[in-house]
């Protein structure tokens, strides 16, 4: 994963920056967020703590946006925070679906060629 980040850092920084901040951030913000995230990931790994590299990096990018006063997109941050909440399957009653209703006059039309996804690109 580290080698992939080193090779594709520009795409990663651009994608995270456009989704977290209201304005595009500069290279200094991206490099500083990466460096601090690297230190945080290393410390968490050294102490044996569970962590998500994406959440750590996105948190530090949000920090650079706040420090630069460029604004945050709170919808993205809200989703990021909700992803950190642990969850378990809820216990509940079994759901039964109604029977399917068949209509004898219904005819399904063929799918147009433009809507078919090829098996290989």
């Amino acid at each position: 994963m580290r080698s992939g980040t080193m090779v594709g850092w520009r795409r990663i920084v651009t994608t995270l920056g456009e989704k977290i901040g209201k304005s595009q951030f500069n290279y200094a913000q991206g490099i500083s967020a990466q460096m601090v995230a690297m230190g945080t990931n290393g410390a968490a790994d050294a102490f044996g703590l569970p962590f998500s590299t994406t959440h750590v990096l996105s948190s530090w990018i949000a920090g650079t946006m706040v420090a630069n006063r460029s604004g945050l997109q709170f919808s993205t941050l809200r989703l990021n925070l909700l992803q950190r909440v642990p969850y378990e399957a809820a216990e509940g009653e079994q759901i039964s679906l109604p029977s399917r209703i068949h209509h004898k006059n219904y005819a399904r039309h063929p799918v147009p060629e433009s809507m078919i996804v090829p098996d290989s690109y």
Side-chain angles (χ1 to χ4, degrees), residues 33-64:
Q34 284 277 29
M35 297 299 283
V36 176
M38 180 182 67
T40 304
N41 292 342
D45 190 38
F47 289 109
L49 301 172
F51 64 96
S52 166
T53 56
T54 304
H55 288 141
V56 170
L57 179 59
S58 60
S59 298
W60 286 111
I61 289 174
T64 63

Side-chain angles (χ1 to χ4, degrees), residues 53-114:
T53 56
T54 304
H55 288 141
V56 170
L57 179 59
S58 60
S59 298
W60 286 111
I61 289 174
T64 63
M65 292 293 181
V66 170
N68 198 29
R69 294 188 176 102
S70 57
L72 297 171
Q73 293 186 28
F74 288 102
S75 60
T76 303
L77 294 176
R78 185 183 70 236
L79 291 175
N80 192 350
L81 289 173
L82 288 175
Q83 289 174 351
R84 295 177 190 212
V85 177
Y87 63 92
E88 295 179 10
E91 298 293 328
E93 297 179 20
Q94 191 71 10
I95 298 173
S96 61
L97 298 174
S99 301
R100 186 173 179 181
I101 300 172
H102 296 278
H103 297 283
K104 59 183 172 180
N105 295 333
Y106 175 76
R108 185 174 180 159
H109 301 290
V111 178
E113 287 289 326
S114 61

